Amino acid sequence: MPAPYEIRAGGDVKNKKQSMADLKLRRLNELNSRLKEDLERPRIKVSEASMSLIQYCQNTKDFMVPSLWGQVDKREDPYAPQQPNSCCTVM
């Protein structure tokens, strides 16, 4: 008659705990490397970024805001409907 209970080897639990510890260590190392990369990223002050954005908006013509820049010639407007210049139509 087989024994109703089997005795497990204690090494199985120890290996599982070790693999969990290795997994946690690997995750912490990955997080640490990502945080180091984030620290090395170049930064600028908010005031410099906002001034740069303001200068860009003042110097770059936006075709979608005609009230500010005036009406745009149809040839210059990339958002104007295109006139077909071809002689063929594909159906």
Side-chain angles (χ1 to χ4, degrees):
M1 178 178 212
Y5 301 104
E6 294 182 24
I7 298 174
R8 290 186 182 180
D12 200 26
V13 172
K14 188 175 183 181
N15 287 338
K16 188 175 182 180
K17 285 185 180 180
Q18 182 64 34
S19 66
M20 291 297 288
D22 290 340
L23 179 63
K24 286 181 182 180
L25 178 63
R26 188 176 65 205
R27 286 182 180 169
L28 285 172
N29 285 335
E30 289 172 359
L31 176 63
N32 192 21
S33 66
R34 283 194 304 261
L35 289 173
K36 284 181 181 179
E37 289 173 7
D38 193 33
L39 277 175
E40 294 171 357
R41 188 171 297 134
R43 311 233 185 247
I44 61 173
K45 294 179 180 179
V46 173
S47 58
E48 292 175 24
S50 59
M51 286 302 298
S52 174
L53 182 61
I54 289 170
Q55 287 176 353
Y56 176 80
C57 291
Q58 288 175 345
N59 297 330
T60 305
K61 194 171 189 177
D62 188 357
F63 297 111
M64 298 299 284
V65 189
S67 61
L68 181 63
W69 294 100
Q71 289 299 104
V72 180
D73 187 16
K74 296 286 185 187
R75 289 173 280 158
E76 294 179 12
D77 189 1
Y79 303 108
Q82 299 295 321
Q83 299 295 330
N85 292 338
S86 63
C87 62
C88 300
T89 304
V90 177
M91 291 186 183

